[in-house]
Amino acid sequence: MKTAFESPETRKVTEVTLSYKTDVKPRDRELITSSQDAYNILYKFWNQNLIEYVEEFKILLLNRSNRVLGIASLSKGTTSASIVDIKHILQYAIKTNASGFIIAHNHPSGNSDPSDSDITITRKVKEAAKLMDIALLDYIIILPAEGYYSFADDGRI
């Protein structure tokens, strides 16, 4: 029978590390003051060769001063769907020690109306993030022709 006092060499346990590395000084980070600011940054990081063909889901991570800590792609899907795991959203927020975040995905169809699944995921993400004391600040739907829909601007967050 094994005991808690055995040496570490006799056990097989994987070490887990969390890291977030940045070379951007806090004063040089982009400031988000509106959905337009967030859209401008997100759109720059979207693959323009795919924006009309497949849905992609991204997260924009912010510190307490609403300065950008980073951006990450969470998933790529099909022309009509992109699956995202709430655990992955929170992993990125926790890794960067974010105080808030903005999620976004594109609608290749060019239709800015949020789908039922967009509305559902917004509610679930907001509730999960709240438990971690992290704020979902907006959910932005990016359109191929340089337009967007903001849940926050529409009073839905």
Side-chain angles (χ1 to χ4, degrees):
M1 183 166 89
K2 295 184 178 185
T3 68
F5 300 105
E6 290 180 356
S7 71
E9 295 81 28
T10 62
R11 297 186 181 189
K12 294 184 180 189
V13 177
T14 303
E15 181 179 355
V16 177
T17 61
L18 299 176
S19 68
Y20 161 69
K21 296 177 183 176
T22 181
D23 58 357
V24 180
K25 295 178 183 173
R27 69 177 179 272
D28 295 334
R29 294 178 180 151
E30 296 284 336
L31 177 64
I32 303 297
T33 61
S34 67
S35 63
Q36 183 70 50
D37 292 342
Y39 164 77
N40 290 340
I41 291 170
L42 287 159
Y43 194 78
K44 281 192 308 189
F45 283 88
W46 228 272
N47 182 336
Q48 296 304 306
N49 295 322
L50 298 177
I51 198 166
E52 289 188 69
Y53 300 105
V54 296
E55 283 195 12
E56 187 173 3
F57 202 102
K58 295 185 183 276
I59 184 169
L60 188 64
L61 299 138
L62 306 171
N63 68 13
R64 190 156 305 284
S65 300
N66 283 346
R67 292 202 175 266
V68 177
L69 296 169
I71 187 169
S73 179
L74 296 172
S75 70
K76 285 186 183 172
T78 66
T79 56
S80 60
S82 181
I83 305 300
V84 67
D85 189 334
I86 295 171
K87 291 186 298 288
H88 289 150
I89 292 171
L90 295 178
Q91 284 172 349
Y92 278 97
I94 291 167
K95 277 185 183 181
T96 59
N97 201 28
S99 294
F101 61 91
I102 295 168
I103 52 177
H105 84 281
N106 61 311
H107 276 183
S109 67
N111 180 358
S112 65
D113 296 334
S115 67
D116 289 342
S117 62
D118 294 335
I119 294 165
T120 300
I121 195 72
T122 303
R123 180 184 48 78
K124 287 181 176 181
V125 169
K126 183 178 178 180
E127 289 172 7
K130 186 176 180 180
L131 290 173
M132 301 299 295
D133 199 25
I134 305 169
L136 171 60
L137 301 171
D138 204 348
Y139 184 0
I140 295 176
I141 297 171
I142 308 276
L143 305 178
E146 296 190 18
Y148 70 97
Y149 171 86
S150 162
F151 275 74
D153 290 353
D154 204 24
R156 297 178 97 167
I157 290 222

